Amino acid sequence: MALALDRIRVGSAPDSWGVWFPDDPQQVPWERFLDEVAEAGYSWIELGPYGYLPTDPARLTDEVTKRNLQVSAGTIFCGLHRGPSEWDSTWEQVSRVAALTQAMDAKHLVVIPSFWRDDKTAEILEPPELTTEQWRNLTTGMERLGREVKDRYGLDIVVHPHADTHIDTEEHVEQFLDSTDSDAVNLCLDTGHYAYCGGDSVKLIETYGERIGYLHLKQVDPDILADVVENEMPFGPAVARGVMCEPPAGVPELGPVLTAAQKLGVDLFAIVEQDMYPCEPDKPLPIAVRTRKFLRSCGA
């Protein structure tokens, strides 16, 4: 008998509707996203890029409540590896997003490290490997961020390994976890990004289970990924090629990932994020419906 996935709370995000930016003519209007994510059968959402959804808490509460939706997390990007000089600009962004996240009764802030390669132009912005000092800046900065966000907003930060950032591969993810305090910071495991960078999600959950605080469910097309790797393609163009694909067509298999997560014995969000920027406006809803049906077949 399959393990009942009663500790897993499934949701979706603006990302699965092709939304990467607060405002972009290629993206669907926020009202349509909210209508369609509810229609697809999800009850949990993320805020997406700050400013895409309404930022007035009263209005956003009204909009999500009337669609029977709830918010699980907000998201920020930061470059804390650059040192203490980054703190003020980071906190300015964090405080806006964290305040809205708190007002929506969510408990998590997803933190994505800044890109070393521009996802649109492929320009190399920084070396892909951090120095020892930069690693120390990154880990101590994330711990400080986790403690400040917890103290001021009651939120847990979960750091999101991401392609074309300094926390990407199995080696880098393990180095980050081994260098940080679980009381201050834990991980948002994105199964697609981790596979994109060569990692094994089930192994990570089984090895570092106490550090897994949140999940993003995503798959990669192994054939497209092989071409991406061979040609050193940046993440943005790789997404446009369709490297992130509709489950269950890609890797990793999500059933074993969800089973491993359930065995941790803690409540976890598992938010579907199929990167599709840019995409035709009519494309996301049918995929979201099929993905929700597939996850139900896995027991989620």
Side-chain angles (χ1 to χ4, degrees):
M1 179 185 292
L3 191 66
L5 302 178
D6 59 354
R7 306 301 294 266
I8 309 296
R9 291 170 286 182
V10 171
S12 193
D15 185 56
S16 295
W17 267 255
V19 175
W20 276 12
F21 304 101
D23 185 33
D24 187 294
Q26 297 189 86
Q27 297 174 171
V28 298
W30 63 266
E31 297 94 336
R32 179 169 180 178
F33 160 67
L34 290 179
D35 288 342
E36 292 188 350
V37 75
E39 183 182 340
Y42 297 97
S43 55
W44 292 94
I45 62 165
E46 290 184 2
L47 294 177
Y50 182 80
Y52 174 66
L53 294 176
T55 56
D56 174 63
R59 185 179 184 202
L60 184 55
T61 297
D62 180 59
E63 294 288 351
V64 300
T65 300
K66 71 185 183 184
R67 295 173 173 88
N68 295 312
L69 297 171
Q70 294 175 268
V71 175
S72 62
T75 302
I76 64 119
F77 287 82
C78 67
L80 292 173
H81 66 284
R82 300 186 191 110
S85 62
E86 285 286 304
W87 180 261
D88 288 346
S89 60
T90 298
W91 188 255
E92 183 182 1
Q93 177 202 178
V94 167
S95 58
R96 288 196 304 268
V97 178
L100 181 60
T101 304
Q102 179 191 44
M104 300 309 297
D105 287 332
K107 301 301 181 190
H108 295 89
L109 189 66
V110 178
V111 180
I112 301 176
S114 56
F115 285 57
W116 57 260
R117 174 166 59 184
D118 189 282
D119 59 338
K120 280 191 170 181
T121 67
E123 177 189 358
I124 303 297
L125 305 172
E126 298 181 72
E129 292 288 338
L130 296 178
T131 65
T132 300
E133 181 183 9
Q134 287 174 323
W135 265 110
R136 189 163 54 247
N137 290 337
L138 176 64
T139 55
T140 58
M142 286 292 192
E143 287 179 333
R144 179 184 176 188
L145 188 67
R147 292 188 174 100
E148 297 258 359
V149 166
K150 186 71 170 179
D151 288 347
R152 298 195 193 193
Y153 298 100
L155 306 177
D156 293 324
I157 73 164
V158 282
V159 174
H160 181 320
H162 196 293
D164 287 1
T165 76
H166 295 108
I167 306 178
D168 50 1
T169 62
E170 179 178 301
E171 179 186 1
H172 287 161
V173 170
E174 291 185 355
Q175 183 175 352
F176 178 76
L177 291 174
D178 290 342
S179 305
T180 50
D181 183 349
S182 62
D183 289 338
V185 56
N186 286 300
L187 206 69
C188 168
L189 170 58
D190 184 303
T191 61
H193 279 279
Y194 201 51
Y196 184 103
C197 298
D200 181 330
S201 288
V202 171
K203 178 185 171 187
L204 186 68
I205 293 169
E206 290 176 347
T207 308
Y208 286 90
E210 75 283 356
R211 303 299 300 275
I212 306 299
Y214 200 91
L215 295 172
H216 279 171
L217 301 181
K218 190 180 296 178
Q219 286 190 324
V220 293
D221 181 313
D223 294 331
I224 296 176
L225 179 62
D227 187 56
V228 165
V229 172
E230 182 179 350
N231 292 292
E232 299 183 353
M233 189 180 298
F235 181 66
V239 168
R241 279 278 311 277
V243 71
M244 299 299 181
C245 61
E246 178 182 342
V251 296
E253 285 187 67
L254 294 180
V257 171
L258 291 167
T259 297
Q262 170 70 24
K263 287 179 179 177
L264 296 177
V266 297
D267 292 331
L268 282 174
F269 283 107
I271 304 298
V272 176
E273 271 207 334
Q274 184 182 341
D275 287 300
M276 291 197 292
Y277 179 85
C279 71
E280 294 298 319
D282 292 336
K283 186 178 178 182
L285 177 58
I287 291 175
V289 170
R290 291 191 296 266
T291 300
R292 187 70 193 94
K293 183 178 180 182
F294 166 70
L295 293 173
R296 285 194 180 99
S297 76
C298 295

